[in-house]
Amino acid sequence: AAQSLEEIGKTIEKCTKCNLAKGRTKSVPGEGNHNPSLLVVGEGPGRDEDRTGRPFVGQAGNYFETWMKAIKLSREGDFFITNIVKCRPPENRDPLNEEIEACLPYLERQIELLQPRVILCLGRVAAYSLLGLSESLTLLRGKKHNYHGIPVVITYHPAAVLRNLTLRAPVWEDLKKVTRLLSEG
Ligand code: URA
C-alpha cells in the first residue's frame, strides 16, 4: 500500500533490506519541510548522523547549512534533506550498488510525496544513483538534468569542498542555478 512520509520514516527506522542495517545505530530517513521547494540529496549518513538519526548534522552538514543560509533557505521553511542510503556505510565507504538498489525505492517514494520544484544532488553518488549516470561530476555539472520532469542541479559534496577549497567557486555557481530555478516557478 502507498505510504505517507511519516510511515516511510517508520519503515526506514526498522528496515533490514540490506547489510547496512546490522552496523547502524539509527537510520536517517531525512527531515525538513514537507511541502518543500527544494529537495537536497546526499550520499549516506556519517558518524554524527548515525548517532542522532538526523541528516547532515556533522561537520559537512554544518558547512552545507552555510551554503543554504547564503541562498536564504532553511530546513524548516524551504527544503527537505535526505540521502541515497538511509543507514551509515562502515567507515563512511561509498554505498555498494546492492545497498543503493535496496534503498532507492524509499527516496523515489519520498520524491513522489514531497513534489519538490528542484532537486539538488550533493556529490557523485547522489547524482549517479538518482539519475543513473556515470560521467565525471565535472562533466555532469555543466549539463541540464531532470528526474521525472523535476530539474536536478548537481554539485560537489560539502565534505569534498572542505578538502579542496578551489571547489567553492563552482559550488557557488551551482547554488545560483538553484536560486534561478526556484524563482522561475
Ligand atoms: N554526508 C552525507 O552525504 N549525508 C549526511 O547525512 C551527512 C554527511
Side-chain angles (χ1 to χ4, degrees):
Q3 286 184 309
S4 71
L5 216 50
E6 287 75 13
E7 287 166 342
I8 293 170
K10 293 216 172 75
T11 305
I12 291 170
E13 281 165 22
K14 292 177 296 201
C15 182
T16 56
K17 287 203 290 178
C18 83
N19 277 330
L20 295 182
K22 294 192 195 113
R24 76 173 175 236
T25 311
K26 288 186 174 180
S27 52
V28 184
E31 70 180 28
N33 191 294
H34 285 193
N35 184 20
S37 53
L38 178 69
L39 172 68
V40 180
V41 181
E43 176 174 327
R47 185 194 48 190
D48 298 299
E49 292 78 17
D50 173 75
R51 277 191 200 148
T52 58
R54 299 183 56 210
F56 285 91
V57 293
Q59 192 189 21
N62 289 334
Y63 181 45
F64 176 73
E65 285 296 320
T66 69
W67 299 4
M68 293 293 98
K69 266 217 178 88
I71 58 170
K72 300 190 164 53
L73 299 179
S74 71
R75 294 187 192 202
E76 303 72 33
D78 304 289
F79 66 90
F80 191 91
I81 185 164
T82 187
N83 287 294
I84 293 291
V85 295
K86 313 301 194 192
C87 296
R88 184 192 185 194
E91 314 295 331
N92 297 345
R93 65 154 168 75
D94 283 358
L96 305 174
N97 281 338
E98 67 210 57
E99 294 158 357
I100 293 169
E101 278 167 30
C103 211
L104 207 52
Y106 293 130
L107 179 60
E108 289 166 346
R109 182 70 183 134
Q110 285 174 319
I111 296 173
E112 271 178 39
L113 291 165
L114 292 164
Q115 301 260 345
R117 297 229 318 278
V118 178
I119 297 173
L120 175 63
C121 284
L122 301 176
R124 190 175 44 84
V125 168
Y128 290 6
S129 308
L130 192 67
L131 300 171
L133 300 167
S134 56
E135 292 158 82
S136 80
L137 206 51
T138 307
L139 283 177
L140 290 177
R141 272 189 60 250
K143 296 183 186 165
K144 289 195 173 178
H145 306 279
N146 76 86
Y147 174 85
H148 298 288
I150 304 167
V152 177
V153 176
I154 299 171
T155 197
Y156 297 102
H157 194 283
V161 185
L162 283 171
R163 290 189 299 265
N164 178 2
L165 294 178
T166 66
L167 299 176
R168 282 183 299 183
V171 166
W172 182 238
E173 292 305 313
D174 297 333
L175 294 177
K176 284 196 289 191
K177 208 183 292 175
V178 169
T179 302
R180 205 178 318 126
L181 287 166
L182 289 174
S183 72
E184 280 169 8

